[in-house]
Amino acid sequence: MNLANPFLPPDMLTLLRMGDATLSQVRDVLAEPQNHMSIPLSEVRLGPPISNPSKIICLGLNYQDHSPKSDPSTPVFPTIFAKYANCIVGPGDPIIIPSVSDQVDYEAELAVVIGKRGKDIPLDQAIHHIAGYTCFNDVSARDYQSRTSQWLQGKTFDTFGPMGPALVTSDEISDPGTLEISLALNGQTMQHSNTSHLIFSIPQIIVYLSQIMTLEVGDVLSTGTPGGVGALRNPPVFLKAGDQVEVRIEGVGILYNPVSVESLQKNR
């Protein structure tokens, strides 16, 4: 840290917890023509924007083209589940296929990061509780996910939550409900949609979740994935060692992760 700017926090979560005044100071520093704190992006290795959130809450079946064909009606309530911080990795980090699963799948998602603590948040205030947005890959072991009606065990293996490449602050995204979202596997587009096809909008998600629990600064809310996941293809497509996965979201960025297998990582 540059001693001339000792107020700068060591990580994104600390920055968000320090509030809007500190974020404004950071913007001022970055705007300096002779910014001696800047490091070229090519000289750093990016980690996940939020590495240890208190909560990672995900929505399932939240795109109109990803709901079960056997149930065409619009759901009344969101399907929610949790992931844990052990699953988080950053851009360029490998997704590691566990030795116990051979049905590891991809899911491109827009994630919302909470910037203001809240409980029972009104709909017209929900957007003001958002710090920003990032790309998320809700990697899923389908064989474990389908063992019971509860999805968690298939969702939170180590490395199953790639996130990044950055946190794009909410003022830079005028409408998170109109963003193109896609996923490419080895250069081939497997998912492509728009957040306008979300069944439950981002404000609705925030309102609903805040009725259940207090949303804390740094909490990650992943809004669901569009159609095109590997498990529902004919034949199914699951991740394998050597694959390259890219999540692209308009205005948010590109999240790239290679795929490895657990046996290659155990002795590292």
Side-chain angles (χ1 to χ4, degrees), residues 14-267:
T14 304
L15 170 61
L16 295 179
R17 286 173 174 165
M18 293 172 74
D20 292 341
T22 301
L23 183 58
S24 178
Q25 288 180 300
V26 171
R27 288 192 176 110
D28 290 343
V29 170
L30 294 176
E32 293 176 6
Q34 303 295 326
N35 184 1
H36 301 295
M37 300 185 72
S38 296
I39 301 173
L41 189 59
S42 60
E43 296 181 12
V44 299
R45 178 177 176 271
L46 295 176
I50 307 290
S51 59
N52 192 28
S54 66
K55 294 185 282 296
I56 307 170
I57 308 168
C58 303
L59 269 74
L61 309 175
N62 195 35
Y63 273 79
Q64 295 168 7
D65 61 356
H66 189 55
S67 292
K69 293 181 180 179
S70 60
D71 183 12
S73 61
T74 301
V76 177
F77 303 109
T79 297
I80 62 173
F81 59 92
K83 293 174 86 95
Y84 298 110
N86 65 287
C87 75
I88 294 178
V89 293
D93 292 335
I95 298 166
I96 300 175
I97 299 174
S99 60
V100 295
S101 175
D102 59 3
Q103 296 183 14
V104 177
D105 205 350
Y106 53 81
E107 292 192 14
E109 307 200 2
L110 173 67
V112 176
V113 177
I114 295 297
K116 179 181 177 184
R117 188 175 188 268
K119 178 73 168 66
D120 296 320
I121 299 169
L123 185 63
D124 63 352
Q125 293 299 309
I127 202 77
H128 301 299
H129 287 260
I130 298 173
Y133 307 91
T134 192
C135 301
F136 193 79
N137 190 344
D138 176 22
V139 181
S140 307
R142 302 300 188 193
D143 40 4
Y144 272 72
Q145 181 182 345
S146 63
R147 286 184 172 187
T148 70
S149 62
Q150 303 298 315
W151 296 355
L152 185 145
Q153 60 187 312
K155 292 289 191 173
T156 200
F157 281 87
D158 292 350
T159 77
F160 274 25
M163 185 192 307
L167 177 66
V168 178
T169 52
S170 57
D171 60 298
E172 296 188 38
I173 303 293
S174 59
D175 185 358
T178 59
L179 304 178
E180 292 289 306
I181 178 171
S182 64
L183 182 141
L185 177 62
N186 301 321
Q188 179 180 352
T189 299
M190 308 297 280
Q191 295 181 280
H192 183 227
S193 190
N194 191 289
T195 56
S196 62
H197 298 306
L198 287 171
I199 296 172
F200 297 98
S201 69
I202 290 170
Q204 289 173 326
I205 293 168
I206 291 172
V207 169
Y208 184 75
L209 293 176
S210 75
Q211 292 171 351
I212 301 169
M213 67 197 86
T214 300
L215 297 180
E216 305 284 355
V217 174
D219 284 352
V220 177
L221 316 181
S222 201
T223 57
T225 198
V229 297
L232 298 182
R233 290 180 170 270
N234 187 17
V237 175
F238 295 116
L239 298 179
K240 62 185 185 303
D243 281 347
Q244 314 286 324
V245 186
E246 283 190 355
V247 176
R248 294 174 176 257
I249 302 179
E250 179 185 1
V252 179
I254 302 172
L255 172 63
Y256 159 78
N257 296 94
V259 179
S260 187
V261 294
E262 189 174 46
S263 60
L264 298 179
Q265 303 289 325
K266 285 184 177 178
N267 297 321

